[in-house]
Amino acid sequence: MIDTSPVACKEFFSYLEKLFSISVSDIRAMIKDFHVEMGRGLSGDESSLKMIPSFIDKPKGNERGDFFALDLGGTNFRVLAVKLDGKGNARVPFASKFAIPQEDMQGTGVALFDFIVGCIDAFLTENQVDRSKTYDLAFTFSFPVEQTSIAVGKLIVWTKGFTATGVQGRDVVGLLIEALKRKNISCINITALANDTVGTLAARSYVDPACDMGVIMGTGTNACYRESISNIEKLDVPIADGHMIVNMEWGNFDKVRRTCYDRPLDKASVNPGAMFLEKMVSGMYLGEITRLVLVDLIRRDLIFGNQAHGAGCFAKRGSLRTKGMSRIEGDKTDRLDGVALFFKTNGISNITLHDKILLQRLCRIVSARAARLGAAAISAVLTWIDPKLKDVHTVGIDGSLFEKYPGFKTKMDDMFKELFGEKAERITLVHSKDGSGKGSAIIAAVAASSKP
Ligand code: GLC
């Protein structure tokens, strides 16, 4: 029989805290594993880190020009006009955002690319763009892409809930060109293909030379950093000096300790057996992990005891979103009225203060693990670049989790202090706003300026 006493509840929460905890020694072990996987990925051996060369170095800050940029990688698709003034300023004179219909995300590739081009068409019309001229366009495509040059790359595998058929294994720039032709749009010249992490690094390093790493903590999570070309052994190029940005695809890192809640989440996902780190760290999944623990708490009668119907409200997959967690954790009122309101709008009223405290604690447990794992991954990359942390490093980060989740950045900074002591001051996490929009335009400008 299940023990539902307050002691049982206390014990269960201590158990959860332990289950989700990431100690400093766990982090040290993770950093070692990360380094091994990074080395293997760079030399072309089997690795959970793909370590994809981007064929571009970071900007110098004097790049200039007018570009269009596309941003595909989350629930919305964006088209932007970006103006670079060559003095570190990237302006967006106009931009449009479109929600991607589920049937295009998970239908055929042709439908998805037709949707994209339909948005471009609407953007051109809405902003009265003269179609008799030609415009350079940078394509931020935030999925694992095997790039073979700055504007050519094949999708390796979909992530973040996308499953559109006929795209994996194909050059996504080629697919975009075909779709543009189908709609008779000939004023677009695609000059760069970039991952959102690469755009984020570019956007920050355009104004800050100490930035050598770009990170996304949003719907998904990933990072890129600046690597010596001589270390990218798998790269079959005659030039071996200089640097290149490497897209790590760290969401797929698999040397992580998963719990009895992570496993069913993975199993029910559209990509089981992959993206283990992403499924523990990013916004697409944190709500679901929390929901699975909540369902367990309800099943054990440890929460919502006064709400006979409580169990049904969160029975459905995806019914608790990370956004909701952030409202719960961010409630600073004495009686946690915000938490009560959140549950009321989800069909659970008259929630007790005790339950509200438990819910806040639960969100904190899940988000703290995410922040600490994210910080551990950053530490791994920085100590790969600079083992003794002799230099200062700016990490440009974008994504709603980092930007909006209450206390996320503080939890990461705290972990750096635990791990590095005073040297933690050499690591600065900076919100690099709209790396996936402005950043890819900067990449296009770098590509244009490095053409022989
Ligand atoms: C997923 C994608 C990766 C992207 C990240 C953040 O992990 O595979 O390419 O950078 O999400 O958007």
Side-chain angles (χ1 to χ4, degrees):
M1 209 177 105
I2 297 172
D3 178 1
T4 63
S5 65
V7 179
C9 186
K10 224 170 147 190
E11 273 175 9
F12 194 71
F13 264 83
S14 308
Y15 157 77
L16 284 178
E17 246 140 18
K18 214 163 154 215
L19 189 69
F20 280 85
S21 76
I22 307 285
S23 69
V24 171
S25 65
D26 291 337
I27 288 167
R28 292 217 167 95
M30 178 169 156
I31 291 177
K32 265 197 196 145
D33 289 335
F34 234 87
H35 288 175
V36 171
E37 295 288 283
M38 286 174 77
R40 295 175 65 84
L42 286 173
S43 51
D45 292 339
E46 185 70 31
S47 168
S48 65
L49 295 177
K50 295 194 178 71
M51 308 299 285
I52 303 169
S54 68
F55 295 88
I56 206 85
D57 194 6
K58 66 180 196 173
K60 295 187 176 70
N62 59 0
E63 293 78 5
R64 50 186 302 155
D66 293 318
F67 298 88
F68 286 153
L70 304 183
D71 176 16
L72 181 78
T75 39
N76 293 308
F77 170 68
R78 290 186 310 148
V79 191
L80 308 91
V82 185
K83 212 174 190 38
L84 307 176
D85 71 355
K87 294 179 197 138
N89 299 308
R91 263 195 333 109
V92 176
F94 44 94
S96 308
K97 188 162 143 182
F98 307 84
I100 308 173
Q102 177 95 1
E103 63 266 25
D104 291 334
M105 233 183 221
Q106 303 192 334
T108 67
V110 170
L112 178 64
F113 278 87
D114 281 347
F115 164 78
I116 291 175
V117 170
C119 299
I120 299 175
D121 194 30
F123 168 89
L124 296 174
T125 306
E126 200 178 302
N127 297 295
Q128 296 171 0
V129 175
D130 178 355
R131 297 189 190 215
S132 66
K133 295 186 180 154
T134 309
Y135 304 91
D136 284 343
L137 177 139
F139 186 13
T140 304
F141 183 79
S142 306
F143 300 94
V145 163
E146 194 66 67
Q147 253 177 280
T148 42
S149 76
I150 182 62
V152 181
K154 285 184 188 157
L155 173 65
I156 303 171
V157 63
W158 282 120
T159 52
K160 296 178 285 192
F162 280 69
T163 54
T165 53
V167 187
Q168 286 179 179
R170 306 274 308 273
D171 169 27
V172 292
V173 173
L175 292 175
L176 180 58
I177 292 172
E178 282 171 22
L180 285 165
K181 278 194 191 137
R182 282 198 292 278
K183 212 163 176 74
N184 289 323
I185 297 179
S186 54
C187 59
I188 300 287
N189 179 26
I190 306 159
T191 55
L193 173 67
N195 186 259
D196 50 357
T197 56
V198 180
T200 300
L201 191 161
R204 183 65 207 171
S205 53
Y206 193 54
V207 289
D208 176 358
C211 177
D212 43 17
M213 189 174 175
V215 174
I216 298 286
M217 289 194 168
T219 307
T221 186
N222 187 16
C224 71
Y225 71 105
R226 195 170 183 240
E227 181 59 277
S228 305
I229 293 180
S230 57
N231 283 348
I232 314 175
E233 280 175 36
K234 66 179 170 188
L235 201 60
D236 197 11
V237 286
I239 26 137
D241 55 346
H243 290 85
M244 190 184 280
I245 302 172
V246 171
N247 165 18
M248 302 177 67
E249 288 293 329
W250 80 14
N252 195 48
F253 180 69
D254 63 2
K255 309 284 176 288
V256 279
R257 179 169 42 90
R258 295 186 307 145
T259 68
C260 52
Y261 303 106
D262 299 301
R263 282 189 282 270
L265 175 142
D266 172 53
K267 225 169 153 197
S269 68
V270 293
N271 53 351
M275 307 301 280
F276 286 173
L277 185 67
E278 179 157 281
K279 286 171 183 166
M280 295 163 92
V281 171
S282 77
M284 180 157 176
Y285 304 99
L286 295 189
E288 182 62 7
I289 300 172
T290 307
R291 186 192 71 84
L292 289 167
V293 184
L294 179 59
V295 167
D296 197 14
L297 285 168
I298 296 170
R299 190 182 62 83
R300 290 168 188 270
D301 254 338
L302 295 175
I303 204 162
F304 298 152
N306 66 337
Q307 295 287 325
H309 60 288
C313 297
F314 291 98
K316 213 169 135 229
R317 196 156 74 90
S319 55
L320 180 59
R321 312 256 311 268
T322 307
K323 224 180 182 170
M325 286 174 71
S326 116
R327 279 179 59 192
I328 297 171
E329 207 174 322
D331 185 358
K332 299 279 181 280
T333 59
D334 283 351
R335 299 198 54 80
L336 299 180
D337 297 331
V339 178
L341 190 66
F342 173 77
F343 280 92
K344 199 169 171 199
T345 49
N346 281 286
I348 301 178
S349 45
N350 301 326
I351 186 170
T352 64
L353 181 60
H354 181 250
D355 282 356
K356 288 188 264 183
I357 294 170
L358 291 184
L359 287 161
Q360 205 170 51
R361 193 163 158 202
L362 169 60
C363 293
R364 209 173 292 136
I365 290 172
V366 175
S367 70
R369 182 182 70 162
R372 288 174 76 81
L373 285 173
I378 291 175
S379 306
V381 179
L382 294 181
T383 53
W384 172 272
I385 304 173
D386 176 8
K388 298 243 167 325
L389 279 188
K390 283 203 219 111
D391 302 319
V392 291
H393 299 272
T394 304
V395 182
I397 311 191
D398 203 3
S400 48
L401 197 61
F402 180 77
E403 190 189 353
K404 298 195 180 129
Y405 199 99
F408 207 81
K409 177 177 183 298
T410 312
K411 285 177 188 145
M412 293 174 79
D413 285 333
D414 288 348
M415 204 232 76
F416 293 137
K417 283 183 210 143
E418 278 175 52
L419 191 64
F420 298 119
E422 279 180 8
K423 283 188 182 169
E425 282 171 19
R426 298 185 190 163
I427 305 171
T428 312
L429 306 183
V430 177
H431 180 211
S432 172
K433 190 131 186 74
D434 199 12
S436 46
K438 293 175 185 170
S440 64
I442 298 170
I443 295 292
V446 176
S449 65
S450 53
K451 259 191 200 145

